[in-house]
Amino acid sequence: MLTRILLTATLAIPATSFGAPPWEKAPQKWDRADAYRVLQDSPWSPAQVKLDTKSTNRYTDRQTGRVDDSSINPDLTNPVSGIELRRARPLPSIAVLWWSSRMVRLAQQRLLQLRHPANPAQPLDVPNLPDFVLAIEGGEPQRILRDPVEDLHDSVFLELPDGVTLDLREARYVDATDEQDARTEFHFPREIDGRPTIDPDTERIVFHCHAYAKASRPNQDNAISLRAEFKPRSMRVHNLPDL
């Protein structure tokens, strides 16, 4: 009986579960599932969000000067925007990608090929980027990040080992097209004073991103506060770093 149960369980597991991950195969051989796995469930796209956020609107009492979240007192004025951190409910899905890796951009190219099979197939190729680039995809996150209350240089950074941080060099905004979603790119330097900023054998790096939209919209999320964990030591292709 036990043998029969084990055999049944084995047959129920898809054969692809035992196959090599996409990054161990040639990109031109990827199918849609392979490309989406690189973009959604790989060392380059873990997006392990640690904290939930909710935008808040509180008010300053005219008589006491106290900030209150009451919505029924007509004397409460001067709205005070903020971010409420909560652990009980997960954030809406936000894609965070290590965009400067060749794997991620090759997966994007491969998806375009698969969407337009009638077009002549072009060789898959992406250039090396001068910066480390992380990207958050989506129009709503970009709305918040494009015009935030705070300077993103103060609220977006990489946490390296031993408490060291790598500061943001530049944020760029790429608009949506028929072929790709909008994305916000965060550029970090690969070198400072001629020295590499990230060791490819680093076990863990955490991307921090916090922002609140200047122009908040009712009944929508107007804040982003997340931490996404990456493991550079695992971000390798044929045993070579791909950052």
Side-chain angles (χ1 to χ4, degrees):
M1 177 65 70
L2 178 60
T3 302
R4 184 181 301 173
I5 293 174
L6 291 175
L7 178 59
T8 302
T10 300
L11 294 175
I13 300 175
T16 53
S17 298
F18 300 100
W23 44 95
E24 293 184 8
K25 301 189 292 185
Q28 61 267 25
K29 295 183 179 179
W30 291 343
D31 57 18
R32 286 176 182 262
D34 291 331
Y36 277 119
R37 183 177 174 189
V38 172
L39 297 171
Q40 298 176 355
D41 182 22
S42 76
W44 298 273
S45 60
Q48 296 180 15
V49 177
K50 299 296 185 181
L51 295 177
D52 189 10
T53 64
K54 178 184 178 181
S55 58
T56 63
N57 284 303
R58 299 183 177 186
Y59 302 87
T60 303
D61 189 292
R62 288 176 178 174
Q63 296 180 347
T64 66
R66 186 183 66 182
V67 175
D68 197 342
D69 58 3
S70 172
S71 60
I72 60 174
N73 185 345
D75 292 330
L76 297 181
T77 58
N78 300 328
V80 178
S81 299
I83 296 176
E84 177 184 324
L85 301 180
R86 300 182 300 163
R87 299 177 184 272
R89 181 176 61 85
L91 274 172
S93 177
I94 297 180
V96 182
L97 303 169
W98 197 286
W99 187 262
S100 53
S101 72
R102 298 186 77 252
M103 276 292 99
V104 166
R105 289 174 291 133
L106 287 171
Q108 292 275 8
Q109 280 193 8
R110 181 59 178 156
L111 278 179
L112 290 179
Q113 281 189 346
L114 294 171
R115 288 173 188 162
H116 306 286
N119 294 346
Q122 300 294 325
L124 296 174
D125 189 32
V126 293
N128 293 323
L129 300 183
D131 297 327
F132 293 121
V133 183
L134 282 77
I136 292 180
E137 290 193 326
E140 278 301 290
Q142 188 180 96
R143 174 182 65 83
I144 298 170
L145 294 163
R146 200 160 203 161
D147 189 25
V149 171
E150 58 280 274
D151 187 337
L152 292 180
H153 290 85
D154 297 327
S155 59
V156 176
F157 60 93
L158 293 179
E159 178 188 343
L160 308 181
D162 301 323
V164 176
T165 60
L166 184 59
D167 293 336
L168 177 69
R169 169 177 281 171
E170 179 186 9
R172 299 179 186 176
Y173 307 96
V174 180
D175 294 328
T177 68
D178 291 338
E179 302 293 355
Q180 67 179 12
D181 292 333
R183 69 177 182 274
T184 304
E185 296 182 355
F186 303 96
H187 290 243
F188 299 89
R190 288 185 182 267
E191 292 186 354
I192 295 179
D193 296 331
R195 292 176 293 180
T197 54
I198 294 178
D199 182 346
D201 288 325
T202 299
E203 177 62 31
R204 174 177 174 269
I205 288 177
V206 182
F207 170 65
H208 294 258
C209 179
H210 309 277
Y212 186 90
K214 279 183 183 177
S216 62
R217 296 180 181 178
N219 302 318
Q220 292 190 32
D221 288 323
N222 293 297
I224 291 177
S225 183
L226 62 83
R227 294 184 292 148
E229 183 176 312
F230 294 86
K231 298 181 178 180
R233 189 179 297 177
S234 301
M235 297 160 66
R236 293 177 175 268
V237 180
H238 305 305
N239 207 33
L240 294 175
D242 182 22
L243 301 177

